[in-house]
Amino acid sequence: MPSFDCVREVAIINSPRVAQLLGMFDIPPSLVSREEYHIDMPFDERDWNIGLIVGPSGSGKSTVAREVFGASVVEASDWDANRAIIDGFPALCSITLVVNLLSSVGFSSPPFWLRPYRVLSTGQKFRVAIARALSEDRAITVIDEFTSVVDRRVAQIGSAAIAKTVRRRGQKFVAVTCHYDVLDWLQPDWVYEPHLRRFQWRCLQQHPG
């Protein structure tokens, strides 16, 4: 199970301002800035579909996600500036699968599927990006900054739709976010809070109406 210490270091380049700052706040001189994370996430003890890494900014969520899940973390994807979004999905995906995924994440508007990604609204981009991530051949799909760019109502409703899709398809999905308001809508099987070093399994409940 993922239980280990993670250390991140970056070199400190000395300068007059660095020296002044050290003196102002009585910070001991050092050649590196060091941060340590203890990671204990026993998610392999049970079968699961949805996980949530949540906590305030700077708590190490992204570091933990990349340390534990590595290549499973979805990076920002390039979309063709002029082609329809349906052409941005993997070539092996049938049009039926693309249509089903777009619809299942709450973006059920075929005329908009003909538009390029760049002209979509922020909420539409969020849903389209998740749909494409779920279409890719990944053992686990990890989305960093989950719902960070959409308003909270879109985030909540989108989370419920995504959760339903992930469970129906039997996939594994991990959301990484600083927003606790998606928890009851995403209904994760487990939650990890890096700032509290707390992992807990959850009992599923029906999301709010």
Short mmCIF file of all heavy atoms in Angstrom, two decimals, residues 10-42:
data_model
loop_
_atom_site.label_atom_id
_atom_site.label_comp_id
_atom_site.label_asym_id
_atom_site.label_seq_id
_atom_site.Cartn_x
_atom_site.Cartn_y
_atom_site.Cartn_z
N VAL A 10 14.45 22.01 -3.26
CA VAL A 10 14.82 22.90 -4.34
C VAL A 10 15.97 23.78 -3.85
O VAL A 10 15.99 24.20 -2.69
CB VAL A 10 13.62 23.77 -4.79
CG1 VAL A 10 13.13 24.66 -3.65
CG2 VAL A 10 13.97 24.60 -6.02
N ALA A 11 16.93 24.00 -4.72
CA ALA A 11 18.10 24.79 -4.33
C ALA A 11 17.73 26.25 -4.10
O ALA A 11 16.88 26.81 -4.81
CB ALA A 11 19.17 24.69 -5.42
N ILE A 12 18.35 26.86 -3.11
CA ILE A 12 18.17 28.29 -2.82
C ILE A 12 19.40 29.03 -3.36
O ILE A 12 20.53 28.74 -2.96
CB ILE A 12 18.03 28.55 -1.32
CG1 ILE A 12 16.77 27.85 -0.79
CG2 ILE A 12 17.96 30.05 -1.05
CD1 ILE A 12 16.62 27.97 0.71
N ILE A 13 19.19 29.92 -4.28
CA ILE A 13 20.29 30.72 -4.85
C ILE A 13 20.44 31.99 -4.02
O ILE A 13 19.51 32.79 -3.90
CB ILE A 13 20.01 31.06 -6.32
CG1 ILE A 13 19.88 29.78 -7.14
CG2 ILE A 13 21.12 31.95 -6.88
CD1 ILE A 13 19.53 30.00 -8.59
N ASN A 14 21.61 32.16 -3.46
CA ASN A 14 21.85 33.30 -2.58
C ASN A 14 21.89 34.60 -3.37
O ASN A 14 22.31 34.64 -4.53
CB ASN A 14 23.17 33.11 -1.82
CG ASN A 14 23.26 34.03 -0.62
OD1 ASN A 14 22.25 34.55 -0.16
ND2 ASN A 14 24.47 34.25 -0.13
N SER A 15 21.39 35.65 -2.75
CA SER A 15 21.39 36.98 -3.35
C SER A 15 21.28 38.00 -2.22
O SER A 15 20.97 37.63 -1.07
CB SER A 15 20.22 37.13 -4.32
OG SER A 15 19.00 37.22 -3.61
N PRO A 16 21.53 39.28 -2.50
CA PRO A 16 21.38 40.28 -1.44
C PRO A 16 19.98 40.27 -0.81
O PRO A 16 19.84 40.40 0.40
CB PRO A 16 21.65 41.59 -2.17
CG PRO A 16 22.60 41.21 -3.26
CD PRO A 16 22.12 39.86 -3.71
N ARG A 17 18.95 40.11 -1.63
CA ARG A 17 17.60 40.10 -1.08
C ARG A 17 17.36 38.85 -0.25
O ARG A 17 16.67 38.91 0.77
CB ARG A 17 16.57 40.18 -2.21
CG ARG A 17 16.41 41.58 -2.78
CD ARG A 17 15.31 41.65 -3.81
NE ARG A 17 15.10 43.01 -4.27
CZ ARG A 17 14.27 43.34 -5.24
NH1 ARG A 17 13.57 42.38 -5.87
NH2 ARG A 17 14.12 44.60 -5.61
N VAL A 18 17.88 37.72 -0.70
CA VAL A 18 17.74 36.49 0.09
C VAL A 18 18.40 36.68 1.45
O VAL A 18 17.83 36.31 2.48
CB VAL A 18 18.36 35.29 -0.66
CG1 VAL A 18 18.46 34.07 0.26
CG2 VAL A 18 17.51 34.94 -1.88
N ALA A 19 19.58 37.26 1.45
CA ALA A 19 20.29 37.50 2.71
C ALA A 19 19.50 38.45 3.62
O ALA A 19 19.42 38.24 4.84
CB ALA A 19 21.68 38.07 2.43
N GLN A 20 18.90 39.48 3.02
CA GLN A 20 18.11 40.42 3.81
C GLN A 20 16.89 39.73 4.41
O GLN A 20 16.54 39.96 5.57
CB GLN A 20 17.66 41.58 2.93
CG GLN A 20 18.80 42.53 2.55
CD GLN A 20 18.33 43.63 1.60
OE1 GLN A 20 17.39 43.44 0.84
NE2 GLN A 20 18.99 44.78 1.66
N LEU A 21 16.23 38.89 3.61
CA LEU A 21 15.05 38.18 4.10
C LEU A 21 15.40 37.26 5.25
O LEU A 21 14.67 37.18 6.25
CB LEU A 21 14.41 37.38 2.95
CG LEU A 21 13.12 36.65 3.30
CD1 LEU A 21 12.01 37.66 3.58
CD2 LEU A 21 12.71 35.71 2.18
N LEU A 22 16.51 36.54 5.12
CA LEU A 22 16.94 35.65 6.20
C LEU A 22 17.15 36.42 7.49
O LEU A 22 16.77 35.96 8.58
CB LEU A 22 18.23 34.94 5.80
CG LEU A 22 18.16 33.97 4.61
CD1 LEU A 22 19.54 33.41 4.29
CD2 LEU A 22 17.17 32.85 4.88
N GLY A 23 17.73 37.62 7.35
CA GLY A 23 17.97 38.43 8.54
C GLY A 23 16.69 39.00 9.13
O GLY A 23 16.53 39.06 10.35
N MET A 24 15.77 39.42 8.27
CA MET A 24 14.52 40.04 8.74
C MET A 24 13.69 39.08 9.57
O MET A 24 13.06 39.46 10.56
CB MET A 24 13.69 40.52 7.54
CG MET A 24 14.24 41.75 6.85
SD MET A 24 13.29 42.15 5.35
CE MET A 24 11.66 42.48 6.04
N PHE A 25 13.67 37.81 9.16
CA PHE A 25 12.80 36.84 9.82
C PHE A 25 13.58 35.78 10.59
O PHE A 25 13.02 34.76 11.00
CB PHE A 25 11.88 36.17 8.79
CG PHE A 25 10.90 37.13 8.17
CD1 PHE A 25 11.20 37.75 6.96
CD2 PHE A 25 9.71 37.44 8.81
CE1 PHE A 25 10.30 38.64 6.39
CE2 PHE A 25 8.81 38.33 8.24
CZ PHE A 25 9.10 38.94 7.03
N ASP A 26 14.86 36.02 10.78
CA ASP A 26 15.70 35.11 11.56
C ASP A 26 15.59 33.68 11.05
O ASP A 26 15.42 32.72 11.81
CB ASP A 26 15.31 35.18 13.04
CG ASP A 26 16.39 34.58 13.95
OD1 ASP A 26 17.57 34.58 13.52
OD2 ASP A 26 16.05 34.11 15.04
N ILE A 27 15.69 33.52 9.72
CA ILE A 27 15.65 32.20 9.09
C ILE A 27 17.07 31.67 8.96
O ILE A 27 17.93 32.37 8.42
CB ILE A 27 14.99 32.27 7.69
CG1 ILE A 27 13.57 32.84 7.80
CG2 ILE A 27 14.97 30.89 7.04
CD1 ILE A 27 12.93 33.09 6.45
N PRO A 28 17.35 30.47 9.44
CA PRO A 28 18.71 29.92 9.32
C PRO A 28 19.11 29.77 7.85
O PRO A 28 18.30 29.33 7.03
CB PRO A 28 18.60 28.54 10.00
CG PRO A 28 17.40 28.64 10.87
CD PRO A 28 16.45 29.55 10.16
N PRO A 29 20.32 30.16 7.50
CA PRO A 29 20.79 30.01 6.11
C PRO A 29 20.76 28.53 5.69
O PRO A 29 21.02 27.64 6.48
CB PRO A 29 22.22 30.54 6.16
CG PRO A 29 22.27 31.41 7.36
CD PRO A 29 21.34 30.78 8.36
N SER A 30 20.40 28.29 4.44
CA SER A 30 20.34 26.93 3.93
C SER A 30 20.57 26.94 2.44
O SER A 30 20.28 27.92 1.75
CB SER A 30 18.99 26.29 4.25
OG SER A 30 18.90 25.00 3.69
N LEU A 31 21.10 25.83 1.93
CA LEU A 31 21.33 25.71 0.49
C LEU A 31 20.10 25.20 -0.24
O LEU A 31 20.01 25.29 -1.46
CB LEU A 31 22.51 24.76 0.23
CG LEU A 31 23.87 25.20 0.77
CD1 LEU A 31 24.92 24.13 0.48
CD2 LEU A 31 24.28 26.53 0.14
N VAL A 32 19.14 24.66 0.53
CA VAL A 32 17.94 24.10 -0.09
C VAL A 32 16.71 24.46 0.72
O VAL A 32 16.79 24.71 1.93
CB VAL A 32 18.01 22.56 -0.23
CG1 VAL A 32 19.15 22.15 -1.14
CG2 VAL A 32 18.12 21.90 1.13
N SER A 33 15.57 24.49 0.03
CA SER A 33 14.27 24.57 0.69
C SER A 33 13.69 23.16 0.65
O SER A 33 13.58 22.56 -0.42
CB SER A 33 13.36 25.56 -0.04
OG SER A 33 12.09 25.59 0.58
N ARG A 34 13.32 22.65 1.80
CA ARG A 34 12.95 21.24 1.92
C ARG A 34 11.53 21.10 2.49
O ARG A 34 11.14 21.83 3.40
CB ARG A 34 13.94 20.53 2.84
CG ARG A 34 13.67 19.05 3.11
CD ARG A 34 14.67 18.53 4.11
NE ARG A 34 14.42 17.15 4.49
CZ ARG A 34 15.01 16.11 3.92
NH1 ARG A 34 15.90 16.29 2.96
NH2 ARG A 34 14.74 14.88 4.32
N GLU A 35 10.78 20.17 1.92
CA GLU A 35 9.44 19.87 2.42
C GLU A 35 9.26 18.36 2.44
O GLU A 35 9.64 17.67 1.50
CB GLU A 35 8.39 20.53 1.53
CG GLU A 35 7.04 20.70 2.19
CD GLU A 35 6.19 21.76 1.50
OE1 GLU A 35 6.54 22.17 0.38
OE2 GLU A 35 5.16 22.14 2.09
N GLU A 36 8.67 17.87 3.51
CA GLU A 36 8.47 16.44 3.67
C GLU A 36 6.98 16.12 3.81
O GLU A 36 6.23 16.87 4.44
CB GLU A 36 9.20 15.92 4.91
CG GLU A 36 10.71 16.11 4.85
CD GLU A 36 11.41 15.51 6.05
OE1 GLU A 36 10.73 14.73 6.79
OE2 GLU A 36 12.59 15.79 6.26
N TYR A 37 6.56 15.02 3.19
CA TYR A 37 5.19 14.57 3.28
C TYR A 37 5.20 13.10 3.69
O TYR A 37 5.93 12.30 3.11
CB TYR A 37 4.46 14.68 1.93
CG TYR A 37 4.41 16.06 1.36
CD1 TYR A 37 5.40 16.50 0.48
CD2 TYR A 37 3.37 16.93 1.67
CE1 TYR A 37 5.36 17.77 -0.06
CE2 TYR A 37 3.32 18.21 1.12
CZ TYR A 37 4.31 18.62 0.26
OH TYR A 37 4.27 19.88 -0.27
N HIS A 38 4.40 12.78 4.69
CA HIS A 38 4.20 11.36 5.03
C HIS A 38 2.91 10.93 4.35
O HIS A 38 1.85 11.53 4.57
CB HIS A 38 4.10 11.13 6.52
CG HIS A 38 3.79 9.71 6.87
ND1 HIS A 38 4.72 8.69 6.72
CD2 HIS A 38 2.65 9.12 7.30
CE1 HIS A 38 4.17 7.55 7.06
NE2 HIS A 38 2.91 7.77 7.42
N ILE A 39 2.98 9.92 3.53
CA ILE A 39 1.83 9.47 2.76
C ILE A 39 1.40 8.08 3.23
O ILE A 39 2.20 7.15 3.23
CB ILE A 39 2.16 9.42 1.25
CG1 ILE A 39 2.60 10.81 0.77
CG2 ILE A 39 0.96 8.95 0.45
CD1 ILE A 39 3.13 10.82 -0.65
N ASP A 40 0.17 7.98 3.65
CA ASP A 40 -0.40 6.70 4.08
C ASP A 40 -1.79 6.59 3.50
O ASP A 40 -2.76 7.12 4.04
CB ASP A 40 -0.44 6.64 5.61
CG ASP A 40 -0.84 5.25 6.11
OD1 ASP A 40 -0.99 4.34 5.26
OD2 ASP A 40 -1.00 5.08 7.32
N MET A 41 -1.90 5.93 2.35
CA MET A 41 -3.16 5.83 1.62
C MET A 41 -3.45 4.36 1.30
O MET A 41 -3.14 3.88 0.21
CB MET A 41 -3.11 6.66 0.34
CG MET A 41 -2.89 8.15 0.57
SD MET A 41 -2.64 9.06 -0.98
CE MET A 41 -4.21 8.77 -1.81
N PRO A 42 -4.06 3.63 2.20
CA PRO A 42 -4.30 2.19 1.99
C PRO A 42 -5.51 1.89 1.11
O PRO A 42 -6.37 1.08 1.46
CB PRO A 42 -4.51 1.69 3.42
CG PRO A 42 -5.13 2.84 4.13
CD PRO A 42 -4.48 4.07 3.55
#
